[in-house]
Amino acid sequence: MTHNTLFNQFQSAYTKFHSTETVLLSLHDHLIRAMASQQITCLCLLDLSAAFDTIDHTILLARLTDWFGISGTAHNWFKSYLTLRTFSVSVSDNKSTSTKLDCGVPQGSVLGPLLFIMYTTPLSSLLTSTSASHHLYADDTQLFISFSPGEFTTHVNQLQSVFSSVSAWMSSNLLALITSKTEFLIIGLPGQLTKLNNPVFCIDTNTTLTPVSHARNLGFLLDQNLAYDHQLSAVTRSCNYHVRDLRRIRHTLDLNTARTVATALVHSKLDYCNSLYLKIPDYQLHRLQSIQNSMARAVSCISKYEHITPTIQSLHWLKINQRIKYKIISLTYSALQFGQPQYLRRLLTIQEERCTRSSSVVTLVRPTTTRRKTEDRSFYHAAPTLWNDLPVNMRMPASPADQSGSYQTVLELSRSQFLSRLKTHLFTDSYPP
């Protein structure tokens, strides 16, 4: 399916080089650039009920043939895999009678998620033909459309029409859309949002949604101004909880174990979708850095009065600002080297070769900037700047002799080599000699 480009490019679940972060980064880029253009964006977050459990086997088997050309023995294998499955519930010593499963895909299987993506492929085609943009991550669907505040009525009607089409498609394919959990945000600059007069989103004749100030999207809290105060507060609470726990049990752990626990429980939360934190205000960056400082003190058993930078350096941790740059540059590498995800690769343009020193390395075209600093937070503007500032030996192009396979690589360094040099480069930036 990957080789023949059968996956929907906006379906990011269970696909190599795709993740919840790439989805949110792409959405964030769209929102930031719309704000820089004095536009607002209506974002609708859809929720499905037990999506993996309601897949109809007859529809799925027909879809495997009609959309993906699976037939004969292969089709019979899928049919055998799906049919004659049973389900029962066991509580203590009591067990219910077995019930035949006529729908759904096996939970916990490798094939189950892939079958779900194949089942919902027509939805992607439906959404692509509409005026709204979209992203999918398994059963999470988000629709969004940007426009000037004065055009709210026209464009929100278009979004409502798309929502109705999606709801009708899901009903016809036996998927249950939970309208009560659908969330509606209007995102933009404060000055633009004040131009709206009681905006609403009509799901149907009986259900009307008013915009919420913030909502959780793939584990990340988006707010109407992209200030991320709610997100950072949630991260701070969660991380501080784990830091306190680590401090309580630190005397029972050796240094390496404590460092591993801290990385697993705290750094993982600090790093989740940190590419969206680029160029946030200094006071917000300081909140995140304070968490890392506290974690380093807990791991190293030092007091709060000792200078923390040498300790973080001894743990070989990048500081928060450099961790953000690391994430963006690593995503840029994947987009250039592997062309994935496509929705991020399209935001990057490689500079044409010229007879200059800079043209001997892979250099990205820097988009024309305006006086609005808002757009500097977008991947479209930030990635080329960060990339072009890398050392020359990290941006060397691949030679023709290195090309192999169906995809032509762009860069000389492999992924592991590049990331190793990237950390060394940013580590020097964090702790200059």
Side-chain angles (χ1 to χ4, degrees), residues 196-416:
L196 302 178
N197 183 24
N198 297 324
V200 294
F201 182 82
C202 299
I203 291 181
D204 52 45
T205 54
N206 300 319
T207 308
T208 300
L209 298 179
T210 56
V212 296
S213 61
H214 61 279
R216 187 173 296 278
N217 184 10
L218 298 176
F220 191 93
L221 286 171
L222 291 175
D223 59 81
Q224 60 186 359
N225 302 131
L226 299 187
Y228 296 150
D229 287 330
H230 293 92
Q231 166 66 16
L232 293 177
S233 295
V235 170
T236 300
R237 285 194 301 271
S238 178
C239 289
N240 285 337
Y241 172 84
H242 290 300
V243 169
R244 288 193 296 269
D245 274 354
L246 176 61
R247 193 177 290 119
R248 281 194 289 267
I249 65 170
R250 176 63 184 89
H251 66 282
T252 66
L253 307 174
D254 59 63
L255 178 61
N256 287 334
T257 303
R259 183 164 51 189
T260 301
V261 170
T263 298
L265 297 181
V266 182
H267 262 156
S268 60
K269 291 180 171 57
L270 291 176
D271 291 344
Y272 181 66
C273 293
N274 62 346
S275 56
L276 278 63
Y277 298 150
L278 183 69
K279 296 193 176 181
I280 58 175
D282 289 341
Y283 79 91
Q284 292 182 325
L285 201 63
H286 179 69
R287 292 179 67 182
L288 298 176
Q289 187 59 58
S290 295
I291 296 172
Q292 189 186 51
N293 294 349
S294 298
M295 179 172 59
R297 295 183 192 281
V299 169
S300 302
C301 298
I302 63 173
S303 72
K304 62 181 180 180
Y305 301 107
E306 293 186 47
H307 188 46
I308 194 60
T309 298
T311 301
I312 298 178
Q313 183 177 7
S314 67
L315 294 170
H316 211 69
W317 291 346
L318 293 174
K319 290 186 177 180
I320 297 300
N321 196 36
Q322 280 67 39
R323 298 180 82 88
I324 294 171
K325 292 180 180 179
Y326 179 93
K327 182 68 70 62
I328 294 175
I329 295 172
S330 63
L331 290 173
T332 303
Y333 173 89
S334 295
L336 292 174
Q337 188 77 332
F338 308 108
Q340 297 293 335
Q342 293 182 35
Y343 48 76
L344 291 184
R345 178 62 183 87
R346 286 200 302 269
L347 300 175
L348 306 172
T349 303
I350 298 177
Q351 184 174 289
E352 296 181 2
E353 292 187 9
R354 303 188 190 123
C355 296
T356 60
R357 179 180 298 179
S358 62
S359 66
S360 63
V361 297
V362 177
T363 303
L364 298 181
V365 176
R366 297 188 182 187
T368 303
T369 58
T370 65
R371 293 182 179 180
R372 301 188 184 96
K373 293 185 177 181
T374 305
E375 66 184 6
D376 292 342
R377 295 175 57 191
S378 70
F379 181 80
Y380 177 68
H381 284 85
T385 300
L386 294 174
W387 180 265
N388 294 346
D389 289 341
L390 292 175
V392 170
N393 64 356
M394 295 180 62
R395 297 187 287 129
M396 296 302 296
S399 63
D402 296 332
Q403 304 292 355
S404 61
S406 58
Y407 187 80
Q408 301 298 304
T409 55
V410 175
L411 297 157
E412 178 184 57
L413 294 179
S414 67
R415 180 176 177 82
S416 59

Side-chain angles (χ1 to χ4, degrees), residues 36-104:
S37 300
Q38 302 297 306
Q39 292 183 327
I40 60 173
T41 302
C42 288
L43 173 64
C44 190
L45 304 176
L46 281 60
D47 189 31
L48 291 176
S49 174
F52 283 61
D53 297 327
T54 59
I55 291 177
D56 182 84
H57 292 169
T58 302
I59 297 176
L60 174 58
L61 291 171
R63 196 145 291 160
L64 294 179
T65 299
D66 298 339
W67 285 78
F68 303 99
I70 298 174
S71 60
T73 303
H75 191 271
N76 291 335
W77 185 89
F78 278 104
K79 184 177 181 179
S80 173
Y81 176 76
L82 292 169
T83 56
L84 301 180
R85 288 186 176 272
T86 58
F87 173 77
S88 63
V89 178
S90 178
V91 179
S92 298
D93 296 329
N94 301 313
K95 185 176 181 180
S96 69
T97 57
S98 295
T99 301
K100 184 180 178 181
L101 282 178
D102 295 322
C103 60

Side-chain angles (χ1 to χ4, degrees), residues 10-14 18-20 23 135-141 218:
F10 294 107
Q11 171 60 269
S12 299
Y14 321 114
H18 295 65
S19 65
T20 54
V23 173
H135 270 294
L136 305 171
Y137 194 90
D139 58 339
D140 286 295
T141 304
L218 298 176

Side-chain angles (χ1 to χ4, degrees), residues 410-424:
V410 175
L411 297 157
E412 178 184 57
L413 294 179
S414 67
R415 180 176 177 82
S416 59
Q417 291 172 330
F418 179 85
L419 295 181
S420 176
R421 293 191 188 185
L422 177 59
K423 183 173 182 181
T424 301

